[in-house]
Short mmCIF file of all heavy atoms in Angstrom, two decimals:
data_model
loop_
_atom_site.label_atom_id
_atom_site.label_comp_id
_atom_site.label_asym_id
_atom_site.label_seq_id
_atom_site.Cartn_x
_atom_site.Cartn_y
_atom_site.Cartn_z
N ALA J 1 0.84 -1.21 0.00
CA ALA J 1 0.00 0.00 0.00
C ALA J 1 0.87 1.25 0.00
O ALA J 1 0.59 2.22 -0.74
CB ALA J 1 -0.93 -0.01 1.21
N ASP J 2 1.92 1.25 0.82
CA ASP J 2 2.82 2.41 0.87
C ASP J 2 3.57 2.56 -0.45
O ASP J 2 3.77 3.68 -0.94
CB ASP J 2 3.81 2.28 2.02
CG ASP J 2 3.15 2.43 3.38
OD1 ASP J 2 1.99 2.89 3.43
OD2 ASP J 2 3.79 2.08 4.40
N TYR J 3 3.99 1.45 -0.99
CA TYR J 3 4.69 1.48 -2.28
C TYR J 3 3.79 2.08 -3.36
O TYR J 3 4.18 2.98 -4.11
CB TYR J 3 5.13 0.07 -2.67
CG TYR J 3 5.75 -0.04 -4.05
CD1 TYR J 3 7.07 0.32 -4.28
CD2 TYR J 3 5.00 -0.53 -5.12
CE1 TYR J 3 7.63 0.20 -5.55
CE2 TYR J 3 5.55 -0.65 -6.38
CZ TYR J 3 6.87 -0.27 -6.60
OH TYR J 3 7.42 -0.38 -7.85
N TYR J 4 2.56 1.57 -3.41
CA TYR J 4 1.66 2.00 -4.48
C TYR J 4 1.20 3.44 -4.29
O TYR J 4 0.84 4.11 -5.28
CB TYR J 4 0.44 1.07 -4.55
CG TYR J 4 -0.38 1.31 -5.79
CD1 TYR J 4 0.09 0.90 -7.03
CD2 TYR J 4 -1.60 1.97 -5.73
CE1 TYR J 4 -0.64 1.14 -8.19
CE2 TYR J 4 -2.34 2.21 -6.87
CZ TYR J 4 -1.85 1.80 -8.10
OH TYR J 4 -2.56 2.05 -9.24
N ALA J 5 1.23 3.95 -3.08
CA ALA J 5 0.77 5.32 -2.82
C ALA J 5 1.74 6.37 -3.36
O ALA J 5 1.37 7.55 -3.47
CB ALA J 5 0.57 5.52 -1.32
N GLN J 6 2.94 5.95 -3.71
CA GLN J 6 3.92 6.91 -4.25
C GLN J 6 3.41 7.45 -5.59
O GLN J 6 2.95 6.68 -6.45
CB GLN J 6 5.27 6.24 -4.47
CG GLN J 6 5.93 5.69 -3.21
CD GLN J 6 7.22 4.98 -3.53
OE1 GLN J 6 8.32 5.52 -3.35
NE2 GLN J 6 7.11 3.75 -4.02
N PRO J 7 3.51 8.76 -5.81
CA PRO J 7 3.03 9.34 -7.08
C PRO J 7 3.67 8.71 -8.32
O PRO J 7 3.01 8.60 -9.36
CB PRO J 7 3.41 10.82 -6.95
CG PRO J 7 3.45 11.07 -5.48
CD PRO J 7 3.96 9.79 -4.86
N ALA J 8 4.91 8.28 -8.20
CA ALA J 8 5.59 7.68 -9.35
C ALA J 8 5.06 6.29 -9.68
O ALA J 8 5.27 5.80 -10.79
CB ALA J 8 7.09 7.62 -9.10
N VAL J 9 4.36 5.68 -8.71
CA VAL J 9 3.86 4.32 -8.90
C VAL J 9 2.35 4.30 -9.12
O VAL J 9 1.86 3.59 -10.00
CB VAL J 9 4.23 3.43 -7.70
CG1 VAL J 9 3.67 2.01 -7.89
CG2 VAL J 9 5.74 3.37 -7.50
N LYS J 10 1.60 5.06 -8.35
CA LYS J 10 0.15 5.04 -8.44
C LYS J 10 -0.30 5.42 -9.85
O LYS J 10 0.13 6.43 -10.41
CB LYS J 10 -0.48 5.99 -7.42
CG LYS J 10 -1.99 5.93 -7.40
CD LYS J 10 -2.58 6.74 -6.27
CE LYS J 10 -4.11 6.73 -6.32
NZ LYS J 10 -4.66 5.36 -6.29
N TYR J 11 -1.16 4.58 -10.40
CA TYR J 11 -1.56 4.73 -11.80
C TYR J 11 -2.14 6.11 -12.07
O TYR J 11 -3.06 6.58 -11.39
CB TYR J 11 -2.57 3.65 -12.17
CG TYR J 11 -2.92 3.62 -13.63
CD1 TYR J 11 -1.94 3.48 -14.61
CD2 TYR J 11 -4.25 3.71 -14.05
CE1 TYR J 11 -2.27 3.44 -15.95
CE2 TYR J 11 -4.59 3.66 -15.39
CZ TYR J 11 -3.59 3.53 -16.34
OH TYR J 11 -3.91 3.50 -17.69
N ALA J 12 -1.61 6.77 -13.08
CA ALA J 12 -2.00 8.14 -13.40
C ALA J 12 -3.20 8.21 -14.33
O ALA J 12 -3.53 9.28 -14.84
CB ALA J 12 -0.81 8.87 -14.04
N GLY J 13 -3.85 7.07 -14.57
CA GLY J 13 -5.02 7.06 -15.44
C GLY J 13 -4.65 6.74 -16.87
O GLY J 13 -3.48 6.54 -17.22
N ASN J 14 -5.65 6.69 -17.72
CA ASN J 14 -5.43 6.33 -19.13
C ASN J 14 -4.87 7.51 -19.91
O ASN J 14 -5.52 8.08 -20.80
CB ASN J 14 -6.73 5.83 -19.74
CG ASN J 14 -7.20 4.54 -19.07
OD1 ASN J 14 -6.41 3.82 -18.48
ND2 ASN J 14 -8.49 4.26 -19.18
N THR J 15 -3.67 7.87 -19.53
CA THR J 15 -2.96 9.01 -20.11
C THR J 15 -1.58 8.55 -20.57
O THR J 15 -1.20 7.38 -20.36
CB THR J 15 -2.79 10.11 -19.06
OG1 THR J 15 -1.98 9.60 -17.98
CG2 THR J 15 -4.13 10.56 -18.51
N ALA J 16 -0.82 9.46 -21.15
CA ALA J 16 0.54 9.13 -21.55
C ALA J 16 1.39 8.78 -20.33
O ALA J 16 2.24 7.87 -20.38
CB ALA J 16 1.16 10.30 -22.32
N ASP J 17 1.18 9.49 -19.22
CA ASP J 17 1.92 9.19 -18.00
C ASP J 17 1.55 7.81 -17.46
O ASP J 17 2.42 7.05 -16.99
CB ASP J 17 1.66 10.25 -16.93
CG ASP J 17 2.33 11.58 -17.24
OD1 ASP J 17 3.29 11.59 -18.05
OD2 ASP J 17 1.90 12.62 -16.69
N GLY J 18 0.26 7.49 -17.52
CA GLY J 18 -0.17 6.17 -17.08
C GLY J 18 0.43 5.07 -17.93
O GLY J 18 0.83 4.01 -17.42
N LEU J 19 0.49 5.29 -19.24
CA LEU J 19 1.08 4.31 -20.14
C LEU J 19 2.56 4.10 -19.81
O LEU J 19 3.05 2.96 -19.78
CB LEU J 19 0.93 4.77 -21.59
CG LEU J 19 1.53 3.85 -22.66
CD1 LEU J 19 0.92 2.46 -22.59
CD2 LEU J 19 1.35 4.45 -24.05
N LYS J 20 3.26 5.18 -19.52
CA LYS J 20 4.68 5.06 -19.17
C LYS J 20 4.85 4.24 -17.89
O LYS J 20 5.79 3.45 -17.78
CB LYS J 20 5.30 6.45 -19.01
CG LYS J 20 6.80 6.41 -18.76
CD LYS J 20 7.39 7.81 -18.70
CE LYS J 20 8.91 7.75 -18.46
NZ LYS J 20 9.49 9.11 -18.39
N GLN J 21 3.96 4.42 -16.94
CA GLN J 21 4.04 3.64 -15.70
C GLN J 21 3.85 2.14 -15.99
O GLN J 21 4.58 1.30 -15.46
CB GLN J 21 2.98 4.12 -14.72
CG GLN J 21 3.24 5.49 -14.12
CD GLN J 21 2.06 5.96 -13.28
OE1 GLN J 21 0.91 5.89 -13.71
NE2 GLN J 21 2.36 6.43 -12.08
N ILE J 22 2.87 1.83 -16.82
CA ILE J 22 2.62 0.43 -17.18
C ILE J 22 3.85 -0.18 -17.83
O ILE J 22 4.30 -1.28 -17.47
CB ILE J 22 1.41 0.32 -18.13
CG1 ILE J 22 0.13 0.72 -17.42
CG2 ILE J 22 1.30 -1.09 -18.70
CD1 ILE J 22 -1.06 0.92 -18.35
N LEU J 23 4.43 0.54 -18.79
CA LEU J 23 5.58 0.02 -19.53
C LEU J 23 6.81 -0.09 -18.65
O LEU J 23 7.61 -1.02 -18.81
CB LEU J 23 5.86 0.92 -20.73
CG LEU J 23 4.74 0.97 -21.79
CD1 LEU J 23 5.00 2.08 -22.80
CD2 LEU J 23 4.62 -0.38 -22.50
N THR J 24 6.96 0.82 -17.70
CA THR J 24 8.09 0.75 -16.77
C THR J 24 7.98 -0.48 -15.88
O THR J 24 8.96 -1.23 -15.71
CB THR J 24 8.15 2.03 -15.90
OG1 THR J 24 8.36 3.16 -16.74
CG2 THR J 24 9.28 1.94 -14.88
N GLN J 25 6.82 -0.71 -15.33
CA GLN J 25 6.63 -1.88 -14.47
C GLN J 25 6.72 -3.18 -15.27
O GLN J 25 7.21 -4.20 -14.77
CB GLN J 25 5.29 -1.79 -13.74
CG GLN J 25 5.23 -0.73 -12.66
CD GLN J 25 6.06 -1.09 -11.42
OE1 GLN J 25 6.45 -2.24 -11.22
NE2 GLN J 25 6.31 -0.09 -10.58
N LYS J 26 6.29 -3.15 -16.50
CA LYS J 26 6.42 -4.33 -17.35
C LYS J 26 7.90 -4.65 -17.57
O LYS J 26 8.32 -5.82 -17.50
CB LYS J 26 5.72 -4.09 -18.69
CG LYS J 26 5.64 -5.31 -19.61
CD LYS J 26 4.88 -4.96 -20.88
CE LYS J 26 4.63 -6.18 -21.75
NZ LYS J 26 3.88 -5.83 -22.99
N TYR J 27 8.68 -3.62 -17.81
CA TYR J 27 10.14 -3.79 -17.97
C TYR J 27 10.74 -4.40 -16.72
O TYR J 27 11.55 -5.35 -16.79
CB TYR J 27 10.77 -2.43 -18.28
CG TYR J 27 12.28 -2.44 -18.30
CD1 TYR J 27 12.99 -2.95 -19.38
CD2 TYR J 27 13.01 -1.93 -17.22
CE1 TYR J 27 14.38 -2.96 -19.40
CE2 TYR J 27 14.40 -1.94 -17.22
CZ TYR J 27 15.08 -2.45 -18.31
OH TYR J 27 16.46 -2.45 -18.31
N LEU J 28 10.37 -3.90 -15.55
CA LEU J 28 10.92 -4.41 -14.30
C LEU J 28 10.55 -5.88 -14.10
O LEU J 28 11.35 -6.68 -13.61
CB LEU J 28 10.43 -3.58 -13.12
CG LEU J 28 10.87 -2.10 -13.10
CD1 LEU J 28 10.23 -1.37 -11.91
CD2 LEU J 28 12.39 -1.98 -13.04
N ALA J 29 9.34 -6.26 -14.49
CA ALA J 29 8.89 -7.64 -14.32
C ALA J 29 9.58 -8.59 -15.29
O ALA J 29 9.62 -9.80 -15.04
CB ALA J 29 7.37 -7.71 -14.51
N PHE J 30 10.10 -8.07 -16.38
CA PHE J 30 10.80 -8.90 -17.37
C PHE J 30 12.22 -9.28 -16.93
O PHE J 30 12.89 -10.04 -17.62
CB PHE J 30 10.91 -8.16 -18.71
CG PHE J 30 9.78 -8.40 -19.66
CD1 PHE J 30 9.24 -7.35 -20.39
CD2 PHE J 30 9.26 -9.67 -19.88
CE1 PHE J 30 8.21 -7.56 -21.30
CE2 PHE J 30 8.24 -9.90 -20.77
CZ PHE J 30 7.71 -8.83 -21.50
N PHE J 31 12.69 -8.78 -15.80
CA PHE J 31 14.09 -8.96 -15.40
C PHE J 31 14.52 -10.42 -15.49
O PHE J 31 13.96 -11.29 -14.83
CB PHE J 31 14.31 -8.44 -13.98
CG PHE J 31 15.74 -8.56 -13.51
CD1 PHE J 31 16.74 -7.81 -14.13
CD2 PHE J 31 16.08 -9.40 -12.47
CE1 PHE J 31 18.06 -7.91 -13.69
CE2 PHE J 31 17.39 -9.51 -12.04
CZ PHE J 31 18.39 -8.77 -12.65
#
């Protein structure tokens, strides 16, 4: 909950910023 509450992590909605968050986390999961 604390991790997700961070502005850099909490989904910014169906926007360009939100898309970047999805792609960043996808990259991290591919490690």
Side-chain angles (χ1 to χ4, degrees):
D2 290 347
Y3 174 79
Y4 191 73
Q6 299 177 101
V9 179
K10 185 173 176 57
Y11 187 56
N14 296 338
T15 63
D17 288 340
L19 179 58
K20 185 176 181 181
Q21 289 173 312
I22 293 168
L23 296 169
T24 298
Q25 289 288 344
K26 187 178 187 180
Y27 173 78
L28 296 176
F30 270 138
F31 181 66

